[in-house]
Amino acid sequence: MEQKQNRYLFYIAQNYSYAILRPLQEIIVKRGDAVSWFLEGTEVSSVFLTATEQHLKTVDEVLHWQPDVVFVPGNVVPRFIPGLKIGVFHGFNAGKVNHDGQISHFRIRSCFDLYCTQGPATTLPFIELSKKFKTFHVVETGWPTLDPMFASSKENPYKDDNDPRPTVLFCSTFSRRLSCASMIFERIKMLSMQGKYRWLVQFHPKMDSQIVAQYKSIESVHLRFIETDNVLPVLQAADVMLCDTSSVLIMFLLQGKPVVAFNNKTESEHLVHVNDEEKIEQAIEYALSYPKDLMSKIEAYSAQIHPKRDGLSSQRVLQAADDLLEKGVGDLKPKPLNLLRHLKMRKKLHYWKI
């Protein structure tokens, strides 16, 4: 008897979600199961889909396709989308606090049956939340996004083997309250003009367009502005990162590379902190020396954030999904209705059928 082909829906709302889920897609397709993509809202573009990727353009098409499992790298998914709902996160916990004083990363929106967590720092709080809410399961799998980063390195378009200078990557969060991009623009412009380092600049897709234009205006043989839906090769190409509070700095640290954090309000010992823009170059030089004490703190931190660095997180996520698919969710309590949230999602998707 032929085995049933499972159907996995990738429900995304941001362009960076393509890179988050494609390692998982590769595993699913290799074993002969089916993947479809559904794009929610105006902040994600279908131009990033490849010719071989199936795109379901309407909710009705999704309902007709009847996915068994829905993978979501965002915060919410409508309850009228069929299938088990699995949260795989769009980044790491950067400690950002929302308007009610709660850490955003651990806010439960009653949308998911399973959270696939990245490491003990995420797993343990979610296990406690699962005991409290009793509406979802938690499995520590690692983050599929990082699988290519831990696999053997391929040709990298952002490296230059003919340039012996250290490469500094500057990233910044899009939040006006937390971003340092505008504040230190002149300093980075000056440092890039000196030609001491090779600069790469990459921002979150939501970054203010005026700030993006600023940095594009100083592109030169010393500084390259990068727009991409896959940040991993950019991270691999750099020797040190300059950042603020963006969670992308965590991904960089997991490579065993130092981060200079400007105006970062945490007291994290695994970061090189600097609050004076005149001391940025000094901090970069210190980071580039890869001091032993700093590197040991980076390793200890990484072991809590994402200890699984074997490039097999996608397999573990898929196994956790399949285990739940086989077991079912009968042991979970019904999720709260959250009518207002779901009405908003219906409005966003222009879908009012019952």
Side-chain angles (χ1 to χ4, degrees), residues 3 63 82 104 142 206 217 219 231 248 257 261 319 341 344:
Q3 187 176 356
L63 294 175
S104 301
K206 290 185 179 180
S217 74
E219 282 195 282
V231 72
V248 74
K257 296 178 182 179
Q319 186 62 57
R341 175 176 296 131
K344 287 180 179 178

Side-chain angles (χ1 to χ4, degrees), residues 44-201:
V44 58
S45 173
S46 62
V47 300
F48 292 107
L49 286 166
T50 69
T52 60
E53 290 174 329
Q54 182 174 346
H55 179 196
L56 301 179
K57 297 180 182 179
T58 67
V59 173
D60 282 330
E61 287 182 10
V62 172
L63 294 175
H64 182 263
W65 197 64
Q66 283 292 306
D68 298 294
V69 175
V70 185
F71 289 110
V72 187
N75 296 322
V76 295
V77 60
R79 65 173 70 247
F80 53 80
I81 299 291
L84 292 174
K85 314 299 192 304
I86 299 182
V88 293
F89 301 99
H90 59 265
F92 287 98
N93 175 27
K96 294 178 182 178
V97 177
N98 56 30
H99 62 277
D100 58 3
Q102 187 178 24
I103 297 178
S104 301
H105 196 77
F106 300 109
R107 183 180 177 188
I108 302 301
R109 296 171 175 85
S110 301
C111 289
F112 299 111
D113 303 300
L114 169 68
Y115 285 95
C116 289
T117 53
Q118 299 148 333
T122 303
T123 307
L124 298 179
F126 268 101
I127 286 175
E128 290 305 308
L129 289 166
S130 74
K131 292 176 183 176
K132 174 183 176 182
F133 288 92
K134 298 180 172 61
T135 58
F136 58 86
H137 293 290
V138 179
V139 177
E140 183 175 308
T141 58
W143 199 30
T145 319
L146 299 183
D147 284 351
M149 190 169 81
F150 297 126
S152 57
S153 58
K154 300 177 182 177
E155 186 175 341
N156 191 315
Y158 308 114
K159 286 185 176 180
D160 186 351
D161 293 333
N162 297 317
D163 191 334
R165 295 177 297 174
T167 299
V168 180
L169 170 61
F170 174 50
C171 294
S172 178
T173 184
F174 64 91
S175 166
R176 287 181 176 272
R177 182 172 61 89
L178 300 172
S179 175
C180 71
S182 180
M183 185 186 312
I184 65 174
F185 170 73
E186 292 297 335
R187 178 64 50 173
I188 290 181
K189 179 181 178 181
M190 183 195 74
L191 289 173
S192 71
M193 289 173 64
Q194 290 176 355
K196 186 175 180 180
Y197 312 120
R198 192 173 73 95
W199 286 85
L200 302 176
V201 178

Side-chain angles (χ1 to χ4, degrees), residues 179-251:
S179 175
C180 71
S182 180
M183 185 186 312
I184 65 174
F185 170 73
E186 292 297 335
R187 178 64 50 173
I188 290 181
K189 179 181 178 181
M190 183 195 74
L191 289 173
S192 71
M193 289 173 64
Q194 290 176 355
K196 186 175 180 180
Y197 312 120
R198 192 173 73 95
W199 286 85
L200 302 176
V201 178
Q202 195 274 334
F203 293 147
H204 190 285
K206 290 185 179 180
M207 177 62 81
D208 186 301
S209 59
Q210 290 185 329
I211 294 176
V212 170
Q214 263 190 319
Y215 279 86
K216 283 184 175 181
S217 74
I218 60 170
E219 282 195 282
S220 68
V221 294
H222 309 304
L223 184 146
R224 178 179 176 184
F225 188 88
I226 297 168
E227 292 177 291
T228 178
D229 66 326
N230 182 11
V231 72
L232 293 186
V234 188
L235 301 180
Q236 290 172 313
D239 301 299
V240 67
M241 172 185 277
L242 172 63
C243 196
D244 37 45
T245 63
S246 174
S247 65
V248 74
L249 71 81
I250 300 174
M251 296 167 66

